[in-house]
Amino acid sequence: MYNNRIIRRYTPLFLVLMMIVSFCSPLLQDRVNAQELEDVEEMLEELREELEEEEEEIVIEPEILVSNDKISITEIREIKVTVTFPEEVDLDKLKWSFGGKDFDRWKKWDIEREDFVGESWIEFSEEPELVEDNVVEATIKFDLPFDTDDLAPRNIRTKYRQLIGTYDLEVKTSNTSLKMPLIVNTYDDYHLYEDIKPAIDELLELAGEKNDRYFEHIVIGKSTEGRDMNTVVVAKSKAAMDNYLNNIKPMAHENPEELIKKVENGEVDYQLPIYINNTHPDESAALDGQYVALKRLATEDEIVFNESEDKEVTLKVDELLDDVILVFNVTINPDGLYHNTRQFVSGLDPNRDLGYQTQIETRNFTSDIVKWNPITLVDIHGFVKSFLIEPCTPPHEPNYEYDLLMGGPRNPATNDVDGKAGALEHARAMGEAGIANSKYESYEIPIFDRGYGWDDATLAYVGSYGIIHGAMTHTVEVPDLNQESANLAAYVVLASANYVSQNKDDLFKNQLMINHRSLNNIDDRAVDTWHTYEDGKQYGRPRGENENFFPEYYIIPVEKGLQKNILQAHKIVDFLIRNGVKVEKAKEEFQFEGVTYPEGSFIVPLRQVKRGFANAALYDGVDESAWGGLYTDLITNLPMLTGFDRVIVREKGLFDEKTEYVKEVTIPTTSVKKEEYIIKNINNDATKAVNKLLRDGKEVSIITETGSDYKKGDFLVARADFMNIKDDFYLEAMSTNENINGERLILPKIHLPDNSYETKIVLEGLGFQIVDERSANVIVDTTGRADIDDIKAGKAFIGIGGQTAKFVEENGLIEGLEVKYEKGHEGLMRAIYSQDHEITSASYDGEEDFMYIGNGSFITKAPETSEVLGRISDSDDFYISGWWPKHGEANGPKGHIFALKDLSDEKNITLFTGEITDKGRLQHLFRLLSNSIYTSLVQEPEIIDDSL
């Protein structure tokens, strides 16, 4: 293509040359042949005509050229712009705009006014100037619209996406408008949800050009709103990946001792999986760092970076993949990535659900961890300015094999393992590489740099969940929301891969020794060195009077009379199997401690590779009240939280050759006799069934007296209605020929004044309808935000938790009520329930049950107008597990009220100081809420006979 400016510049020279030839031709006639002169003149004439014709054909191409088409709102950028117009330009008449707005209308964010009303963040740093008659050059400065290069603060983290998009830079004259699209992004490698799949496809295409590596995209499940949960696997080859999954991992679980010998003798070719994860997608640098690392792995043969401040390393990708498989889980929470939120769409925090798995996303994720059983799990978060990398402070969950994870027993003098391969040295490797390749100058490891308050005492976290499966697991907190922290996260990943590659055999033998201990039910005292008080004094695993912390078996009965919740017993077995635990069932009837258990009873043996997880899920838990504080709740205790019976067995070999493995669980269905129509209020399916009948306009009554085979709080329905819904739920039901006292139920319409996501999850899961305040006939409140006038007017009110109990007390809604509220303290405690009220009688067996209080609250005084529904036990062993300093003292919860009903002064108040809907995990306590709703709305009592 010709440059039109060159043609225009040199055409006049040819014309001048022609004039000279024409002028000189008479003088040349004596020296040259006339014919030759004529030929020259003819040639020049043709050239002139050619040039004139070409000049007419050349059209000046108007265009905008920019030095960079990407704008980062976390990085100041100056972009040089060259604009070529088809005509001469008057600078004074040029109009510049961006996205259809003048530059001065692009305002910075004003934090106080919470709007874009500050000064402009787009301006010329070099004003437009003419470099030719039709060519203009300028430099535009794109400043920081939030006046910071770190968007981590929550008051702006939810705002910046408003600016992301593609905008036209437009320059106009009176005759011409020229446009160039520019991309505004948080930073260059920032990804929205809709960017993820195209980015993965691009990586797969780039990686496909390399013959020495294997990339695979795997969707491990769908989110609540139906979005893909994307993973990318990087391996030497598909055969290497299959070899690990089909050969190495099974042998590690079945015969770790033999595999250790093979590793030591160099007789086995293997790779170890490293699992990289993001939990909170609004901590975006943590997520995008995966992409940065993946792109380097896809495109580079040798990745050079600083292993430390004074040591460079060359990571040869083909050699790296001889040692490791990398599994990148983009995020646990794709819906959160789409909406730019930390929480699931349900409102629950992903990093509080791993031990309970109430959400589909955590169930998908944990299944993938079980599949890979990685050597390490790097869970990247933000934002901690000190650049934090776990291991954690004590207290540690005692079911971990903590010494083998860390690299060995703890040296009390150094609180360290003194250079042995394990999680501590792995953390240092990631931290050193992080600061050596970024602007960040230091990092912290909580176990060394914090006294307490960053613990791993619960299975609720991703980090804790990985540890219980024998993985060195690290929560990594990058400092900022920007490209620098995304790059930092990528170096953390590369450093992790490098460390595992360099220490592969030692790390694998540590993990295999965890398996060895588990299979042989060994309680090694080296673990005790990591269980210390704040002053460093060792206390070890909480064995009580037992020699071995771990029992030999758990029995989970499924027979009426032996199991209070048969449905939940089956669900917990399904939960255990999904998490890799081997569950068996008895092939014949057996006896234990004078009780006969039928064939088919479930048995969980503890001599298995997933011993730690099985015991953590089924044991009572520990009391960590001696500590100054914990990061969050530590209670797992699924038997109590979800409400099923299990029996602890410490006798060795009791079930040898007497059981068979359970591969899957079939949830039982309702079994009925011809006349059955009383629904026992024995599980949450009973509530779901009642709500379905009420929504369908059917009559349901709640029983108001206890009989020989039924209790207050059970439900009565017409036989035909019962038969229509029985197959949709697991119900325990019976028939009767008695006349039964009962009250007709009204369809509940519930208002949540605080929009509590935890309570909303529970209510909607049970089939209740949530409506606006005007339409509601019952209020459920967890923070004390209800309309006081509505309560005083007699609208049914159910208050949950200490904050709401204080609200009731301080507003005089129950005269004479006194509440103690110590925010933060939690406890799982033995409880006594009233057996004389519909709310509690059918669902809870007096002293045989419990209450969970999550915010240190209880009722110290209740007026005579209140009916007490539940008290904390006054026994010496009332406190089971949790963190509640001085809970046993006189001013503690022992013996105090946690639930009551008050109908004085025409009010209708039910109050719980316990957190009965906490995180959607306390399934055994949900019936306190549902029964409270039903009984607050009943019609007048009546006699119901068996003619229904």
Side-chain angles (χ1 to χ4, degrees):
M1 180 182 223
Y2 288 99
N3 186 313
N4 58 2
R5 280 179 278 177
I6 293 176
I7 298 297
R8 288 163 60 95
R9 185 177 297 136
Y10 288 100
T11 298
L13 293 177
F14 286 99
L15 295 175
V16 170
L17 179 61
M18 290 183 66
M19 291 175 64
I20 293 172
V21 170
S22 178
F23 175 77
C24 295
S25 60
L27 302 176
L28 295 172
Q29 285 179 358
D30 294 336
R31 298 204 175 196
V32 297
N33 184 282
Q35 185 59 48
E36 291 175 348
L37 182 60
E38 186 176 336
D39 289 344
V40 170
E41 290 176 343
E42 185 177 340
M43 180 185 68
L44 289 171
E45 179 61 26
E46 289 176 359
L47 180 59
R48 183 187 65 76
E49 290 175 357
E50 245 179 72
L51 289 170
E52 288 178 351
E53 183 179 341
E54 188 170 321
E55 186 174 12
E56 289 175 2
E57 290 178 354
I58 291 174
V59 177
I60 298 173
E61 294 289 344
E63 62 181 354
I64 298 179
L65 299 176
V66 293
S67 59
N68 191 346
D69 66 349
K70 294 181 176 61
I71 299 164
S72 168
I73 61 177
T74 53
E75 179 185 333
I76 298 173
R77 287 188 178 167
E78 294 190 351
I79 296 178
K80 186 173 182 178
V81 183
T82 302
V83 190
T84 301
F85 289 94
E87 74 275 350
E88 293 184 0
V89 176
D90 183 348
L91 283 178
D92 294 335
K93 294 184 179 179
L94 281 183
K95 181 175 177 59
W96 297 72
S97 64
F98 186 64
K101 299 192 300 184
D102 293 343
F103 291 174
D104 59 7
R105 290 178 57 198
W106 286 88
K107 303 296 186 180
K108 291 186 176 182
W109 179 257
D110 187 302
I111 291 178
E112 292 183 359
R113 296 167 67 179
E114 295 189 345
D115 200 359
F116 292 98
V117 293
E119 62 184 22
S120 174
W121 60 279
I122 305 177
E123 63 181 4
F124 290 110
S125 58
E126 294 182 11
E127 293 290 336
E129 63 173 342
L130 282 173
V131 294
E132 292 186 32
D133 291 344
N134 65 322
V135 180
V136 177
E137 289 186 351
T139 301
I140 304 173
K141 179 182 178 182
F142 291 87
D143 206 340
L144 303 174
F146 292 91
D147 268 332
T148 177
D149 64 356
D150 172 25
L151 304 182
R154 292 196 180 277
N155 57 357
I156 57 176
R157 199 188 306 179
T158 58
K159 310 297 181 183
Y160 66 81
R161 279 196 179 183
Q162 299 177 46
L163 297 178
I164 294 175
T166 300
Y167 302 88
D168 282 334
L169 173 64
E170 184 176 16
V171 189
K172 295 172 65 175
T173 67
S174 57
N175 300 318
T176 304
S177 171
L178 301 180
K179 297 179 180 180
M180 166 63 72
L182 301 182
I183 299 168
V184 176
N185 207 350
T186 313
Y187 44 82
D188 289 349
D189 287 316
Y190 180 88
H191 292 81
L192 300 168
Y193 173 78
E194 51 267 34
D195 302 327
I196 295 299
K197 184 57 168 56
I200 291 174
D201 290 341
E202 178 190 14
L203 289 170
L204 295 180
E205 184 177 349
L206 291 170
E209 299 171 6
K210 305 287 185 182
N211 296 320
D212 57 351
R213 65 204 68 172
Y214 174 78
F215 273 55
E216 183 178 357
H217 171 227
I218 301 174
V219 176
I220 64 172
K222 296 283 188 179
S223 68
T224 300
E225 293 186 336
R227 295 183 177 87
D228 286 346
M229 296 180 68
N230 295 292
T231 65
V232 178
V233 180
V234 183
K236 180 180 180 179
S237 62
K238 187 175 188 305
M241 182 179 74
D242 292 342
N243 177 55
Y244 170 78
L245 291 172
N246 300 327
N247 299 314
I248 302 300
K249 179 189 157 190
M251 188 174 183
H253 286 190
E254 295 162 11
N255 195 348
E257 298 89 347
E258 182 64 24
L259 191 49
I260 287 173
K261 291 178 183 178
K262 288 181 177 293
V263 169
E264 290 177 338
N265 295 330
E267 298 174 357
V268 59
D269 180 27
Y270 69 99
Q271 292 80 33
L272 295 177
I274 298 171
Y275 203 100
I276 300 100
N277 177 66
N278 167 260
T279 298
H280 298 135
D282 67 328
E283 296 161 2
S284 56
L287 181 151
D288 295 313
Q290 294 187 55
Y291 171 79
V292 176
L294 272 166
K295 190 169 184 179
R296 298 195 70 176
L297 290 166
T299 60
E300 299 179 35
D301 294 324
E302 294 184 350
I303 301 174
V304 180
F305 63 96
N306 294 319
E307 191 175 41
S308 62
E309 294 286 2
D310 54 5
K311 184 179 179 181
E312 187 178 85
V313 63
T314 298
L315 202 61
K316 295 182 179 180
V317 175
D318 58 341
E319 294 180 3
L320 174 70
L321 297 180
D322 286 336
D323 295 326
V324 302
I325 299 166
L326 295 106
V327 184
F328 293 83
N329 182 36
V330 175
T331 183
I332 289 177
N333 186 9
D335 294 340
L337 177 56
Y338 179 82
H339 296 291
N340 194 28
T341 60
R342 171 189 179 96
Q343 293 85 4
F344 292 132
V345 291
S346 66
L348 284 177
D349 187 329
N351 215 31
R352 301 294 183 273
D353 192 46
L354 271 294
Y356 318 111
Q357 300 162 31
T358 67
Q359 304 298 294
I360 185 61
E361 292 89 346
T362 46
R363 293 195 289 275
N364 291 337
F365 171 76
T366 51
S367 294
D368 207 43
I369 295 298
V370 170
K371 168 188 170 181
W372 287 104
N373 212 116
I375 192 67
T376 186
L377 195 168
V378 181
D379 187 33
I380 311 177
H381 289 251
F383 300 94
V384 174
K385 287 295 183 183
S386 57
F387 176 28
L388 180 146
I389 307 174
E390 293 177 349
C392 292
T393 63
H396 311 297
E397 220 292 340
N399 285 284
Y400 305 145
E401 300 300 316
Y402 218 71
D403 62 313
L404 292 172
L405 288 158
M406 294 299 105
R410 169 181 165 272
N411 182 336
T414 62
N415 199 32
D416 205 341
V417 292
D418 303 326
K420 298 182 183 68
L424 285 173
E425 291 302 312
H426 184 222
R428 289 190 178 100
M430 292 187 288
E432 291 296 324
I435 62 175
N437 294 279
S438 71
K439 71 176 185 179
Y440 305 108
E441 298 179 350
S442 63
Y443 62 94
E444 70 166 320
I445 299 177
I447 199 168
F448 299 124
D449 301 319
R450 299 196 177 199
Y452 61 84
W454 198 285
D455 55 88
D456 48 14
T458 174
L459 295 190
Y461 309 131
V462 169
S464 303
Y465 186 81
I467 292 174
I468 203 68
H469 285 282
M472 300 184 301
T473 308
H474 306 265
T475 294
V476 177
E477 298 273 358
V478 299
D480 303 323
L481 198 160
N482 55 27
Q483 186 70 49
E484 185 76 1
S485 275
N487 294 340
L488 174 69
Y491 284 114
V492 164
V493 172
L494 295 173
S496 173
N498 184 47
Y499 180 82
V500 173
S501 176
Q502 292 176 350
N503 297 275
K504 181 176 75 167
D505 288 352
D506 288 339
L507 296 175
F508 195 29
K509 285 191 289 185
N510 287 347
Q511 191 180 70
L512 291 171
M513 281 302 300
I514 293 174
N515 296 350
H516 167 74
R517 287 182 187 175
S518 299
L519 287 168
N520 294 281
N521 207 20
I522 297 169
D523 180 7
D524 197 301
R525 266 46 180 182
V527 174
D528 291 356
T529 64
W530 292 98
H531 292 280
T532 61
Y533 294 111
E534 287 180 50
D535 61 6
K537 183 179 178 181
Q538 178 179 310
Y539 62 85
R541 276 174 167 157
R543 298 179 182 86
E545 298 178 354
N546 301 302
E547 178 65 21
N548 193 329
F549 171 69
F550 299 96
E552 288 290 321
Y553 306 93
Y554 286 98
I555 302 170
I556 301 178
V558 287
E559 181 81 2
K560 290 183 180 180
L562 298 176
Q563 178 58 259
K564 64 187 173 188
N565 194 329
I566 294 172
L567 174 62
Q568 195 59 46
H570 284 82
K571 286 185 175 181
I572 199 64
V573 171
D574 181 63
F575 171 89
L576 292 170
I577 293 172
R578 190 175 69 247
N579 285 274
V581 176
K582 288 186 176 180
V583 180
E584 303 170 357
K585 62 181 179 181
K587 294 190 291 185
E588 58 189 41
E589 181 181 277
F590 65 92
Q591 287 192 335
F592 178 69
E593 294 185 343
V595 177
T596 300
Y597 295 89
E599 175 187 351
S601 298
F602 291 118
I603 311 296
V604 182
L606 269 290
R607 291 178 181 265
Q608 61 166 297
V609 74
K610 296 301 179 182
R611 173 186 72 169
F613 184 87
N615 199 52
L618 297 174
Y619 86 133
D620 283 347
V622 292
D623 179 2
E624 298 288 6
S625 300
W627 282 87
L630 300 182
Y631 190 76
T632 192
D633 325 336
L634 64 82
I635 295 168
T636 300
N637 196 326
L638 296 181
M640 289 189 176
L641 296 189
T642 64
F644 66 94
D645 292 310
R646 55 88 171 105
V647 180
I648 301 170
V649 179
R650 291 191 169 271
E651 183 179 335
K652 294 180 182 179
L654 181 64
F655 297 105
D656 288 353
E657 309 300 326
K658 297 177 182 178
T659 60
E660 59 187 4
Y661 285 122
V662 178
K663 293 183 179 180
E664 60 181 4
V665 179
T666 301
I667 302 298
T669 56
T670 304
S671 175
V672 298
K673 297 178 182 178
K674 185 176 180 181
E675 300 296 325
E676 290 179 336
Y677 60 87
I678 296 177
I679 299 175
K680 297 289 192 70
N681 195 352
I682 202 108
N683 60 38
N684 290 326
D685 268 23
T687 302
K688 296 174 185 178
V690 167
N691 281 333
K692 185 177 191 308
L693 290 169
L694 291 174
R695 286 196 311 272
D696 292 343
K698 307 301 182 183
E699 290 188 354
V700 182
S701 295
I702 190 167
I703 297 175
T704 56
E705 66 177 11
T706 295
S708 57
D709 296 316
Y710 57 86
K711 288 187 173 183
K712 286 185 176 183
D714 286 337
F715 303 105
L716 295 108
V717 298
R719 185 182 306 114
D721 295 336
F722 175 79
M723 296 303 290
N724 285 334
I725 56 97
K726 71 179 181 65
D727 293 336
D728 297 332
F729 310 97
Y730 172 72
L731 305 172
E732 295 187 25
M734 59 170 288
S735 61
T736 180
N737 294 319
E738 302 177 38
N739 290 332
I740 303 168
N741 287 319
E743 296 173 321
R744 297 287 190 204
L745 298 184
I746 297 171
L747 177 66
K749 297 180 180 180
I750 299 167
H751 173 56
L752 293 174
D754 53 6
N755 198 29
S756 164
Y757 62 85
E758 295 177 346
T759 306
K760 183 179 180 184
I761 290 169
V762 172
L763 289 169
E764 290 182 339
L766 293 173
F768 287 102
Q769 181 182 5
I770 298 174
V771 299
D772 59 31
E773 184 176 9
R774 185 174 301 177
S775 306
N777 53 18
V778 60
I779 304 165
V780 177
D781 187 5
T782 64
T783 59
R785 297 182 182 178
D787 188 314
I788 295 173
D789 291 337
D790 281 346
I791 301 171
K792 289 182 176 179
K795 182 173 282 191
F797 174 81
I798 298 164
I800 300 172
Q803 191 172 341
T804 307
K806 288 298 288 184
F807 161 79
V808 171
E809 175 197 35
E810 291 169 357
N811 287 282
L813 297 174
I814 299 178
E815 188 174 350
L817 179 72
E818 294 181 7
V819 175
K820 186 172 183 179
Y821 176 43
E822 297 177 349
K823 187 175 182 180
H825 297 170
E826 70 154 352
L828 189 64
M829 293 168 280
R830 305 186 197 284
I832 302 169
Y833 285 87
S834 170
Q835 298 300 291
D836 195 34
H837 199 284
E838 293 85 355
I839 292 177
T840 52
S841 176
S843 304
Y844 306 97
D845 296 326
E847 296 185 21
E848 299 302 315
D849 242 298
F850 81 98
M851 170 50 58
Y852 172 79
I853 294 178
N855 269 310
S857 57
F858 49 87
I859 296 168
T860 58
K861 184 179 179 181
E864 293 182 359
T865 56
S866 296
E867 183 174 359
V868 175
L869 302 177
R871 292 179 179 271
I872 301 299
S873 170
D874 61 3
S875 63
D876 291 339
D877 63 347
F878 79 96
Y879 193 84
I880 300 168
S881 57
W883 177 77
W884 194 324
K886 301 179 180 180
H887 58 256
E889 296 185 359
N891 60 350
K894 182 178 179 179
H896 283 294
I897 299 167
F898 62 78
L900 57 76
K901 176 92 174 179
D902 194 279
L903 300 175
S904 61
D905 300 325
E906 299 183 350
K907 292 191 288 290
N908 186 349
I909 298 174
T910 309
L911 192 62
F912 302 94
T913 62
E915 315 294 325
I916 60 177
T917 60
D918 184 69
K919 299 179 181 65
R921 59 186 173 138
L922 303 172
Q923 297 173 44
H924 185 50
L925 300 182
F926 292 171
R927 279 168 289 157
L928 286 174
L929 177 56
S930 58
N931 291 0
S932 297
I933 291 169
Y934 293 142
T935 58
S936 67
L937 295 173
V938 293
Q939 298 177 358
E940 291 298 317
E942 58 182 289
I943 302 294
I944 303 171
D945 61 35
D946 63 355
S947 62
L948 286 174

